[in-house]
Amino acid sequence: MKTDENYMRQEDTKELFDVIGYFGSWQRRIFFIAFISLMAHCWHVLAMLFLAPNIDHWCQRPTTYSNISTDQWKDLAIPRVQSKNDSGIYSSCLVYKNFTSHMKEENSTTACASWEYDNSFYTSTIIDEWDLVCENDWLPSMSTSLYMGGFMTSVFISGQLSDRYGRRPIILFGGIIFLASGFACAFSTSFLMFNILRFLVAFGASGTVLTIIILLLEVIGPEYRSILGICYQFGWALGYTILPGVAFLVKKWRHFQLIISVPWILLCSIWWFLPESPRWLLSHGKVKLAEKEIRNAARVNGKIVSNWQEEEMKRNRQATFLDLFKTPNMRKKSLNNFLFWFVNAFTYYGLSLHTNDMGGNPLINFFIAGTLEFPANIIGFILIKHVGRRISLMALMVVGGVACLLTVPVSDSKPFFLSLISLLLFRFWTIRCLLHIV
């Protein structure tokens, strides 16, 4: 998706902001909607940590052994296996074939046919509902990949549609898809249905959030874009920090899915207060509609407009994705951007979606990672303002890469240090993402 900045002369852009104001109440309204949308989007991107958490499981006991305790059953029928820290733990996937035998060291094992789960904290998850363990333990990761696939698909489609039909319709279209799919997902009757709906959730959320970002950047003055681009990211940080609290209070996955979808009701409701981009309207020759939006913006911002007219601009050819590769300069910049985004997304989400594996309390780990987003945003803004994007981005890429390599020699017997280093990595890659976005 591209802004329509290329369609307008520099003097036209300056005149537009001179008329409506560079950042007033009208723009703050759009910023608030963008802020809430990113917070709500964050909840669904990171929700799999709580929809499919790491929960203890073991082979299910026959009904004839239902009168014995879990510990007695494990000691009787479950073999011990070597863990990463060299301590023996009960197997999650095996059971003795003849668990009444006293010669366990000579007793062969077999794979579990069904499982029991530790529901002492999470009352229900998609893990225990659809037995996503042992040979199926890769399925939650695949589900996350499918979600990201929905995000990527929407980037191509919603970007072109918003350039053609306007920002406002695509924001509503994505919001409706998200809202319907988000609530329907809570009533999934199979893992396949769950994944299809999660794909649609990502598709709708991506279309809405990315289009709102473009709308926001098109209606604020150039000198405000860096600071508001950073402040906008506080919506993600706030959602990141709140989400573990929601998971602590709502321990049934279906209820959790419903709760994190509620903010999109608000977003779809306040869509009526969202304006169309005047710059998009002008670039498409919709001068009267643009003048109406501009006069409304000026009125809300306390600006006086008298007999303002904007000459109808020539409608330029619609840009497409292929335009990113037509000239050597654009090709080089585009490929660099693709590489940076691939590395940023791969590392950032790889760390964010594995806080359950860092040792200690996963909710606390997640909360700490979320709170560290706030200083990361502030540091990102300082670096952009005083150092610049290029040097800061490259320096943090090197630091982040070295920090990733330093996790290799960290012993599994010291989860605290592993957690600490991982959290620091979160911040390096968060700042880099911000530097690249703004």
Side-chain angles (χ1 to χ4, degrees), residues 136-153:
N136 292 326
D137 61 359
W138 59 276
L139 290 174
S141 296
M142 182 207 66
S143 181
T144 300
S145 296
L146 288 174
Y147 184 93
M148 293 300 178
F151 190 101
M152 183 178 68
T153 304

Side-chain angles (χ1 to χ4, degrees), residues 207-345:
T208 296
V209 171
L210 294 180
T211 307
I212 289 180
I213 293 175
I214 297 302
L215 174 61
L216 178 64
L217 294 177
E218 287 180 339
V219 299
I220 59 178
E223 62 268 36
Y224 286 93
R225 287 174 188 163
S226 290
I227 187 170
L228 291 179
I230 292 289
C231 292
Y232 166 77
Q233 294 294 329
F234 281 104
W236 178 278
L238 182 61
Y240 204 138
T241 306
I242 294 175
L243 189 59
V246 177
F248 178 79
L249 296 173
V250 184
K251 299 175 180 178
K252 293 183 177 181
W253 80 264
R254 294 182 185 275
H255 296 169
F256 178 78
Q257 175 66 29
L258 289 173
I259 292 296
I260 63 176
S261 299
V262 166
W264 285 85
I265 298 178
L266 172 64
L267 286 171
C268 289
S269 300
I270 61 181
W271 174 84
W272 305 103
F273 301 98
L274 197 66
E276 183 55 88
S277 168
R279 295 170 67 184
W280 182 87
L281 291 170
L282 287 171
S283 71
H284 284 71
K286 302 177 184 294
V287 179
K288 291 189 179 297
L289 290 176
E291 183 176 351
K292 180 181 177 181
E293 292 287 6
I294 290 169
R295 288 186 178 278
N296 179 59
R299 178 183 59 80
V300 173
N301 287 343
K303 296 282 186 176
I304 299 176
V305 182
S306 57
N307 298 324
W308 181 87
Q309 290 288 336
E310 173 70 28
E311 64 177 17
E312 184 168 356
M313 304 177 64
K314 291 182 180 180
R315 184 174 180 178
N316 291 333
R317 179 184 64 84
Q318 289 293 306
T320 68
F321 178 76
L322 296 177
D323 289 313
L324 296 173
F325 304 96
K326 284 193 173 180
T327 66
N329 184 44
M330 281 302 299
R331 239 185 340 263
K332 180 179 70 174
K333 290 179 178 178
S334 298
L335 292 175
N336 272 322
N337 271 274
F338 296 157
L339 176 61
F340 288 149
W341 267 107
F342 174 82
V343 174
N344 283 330

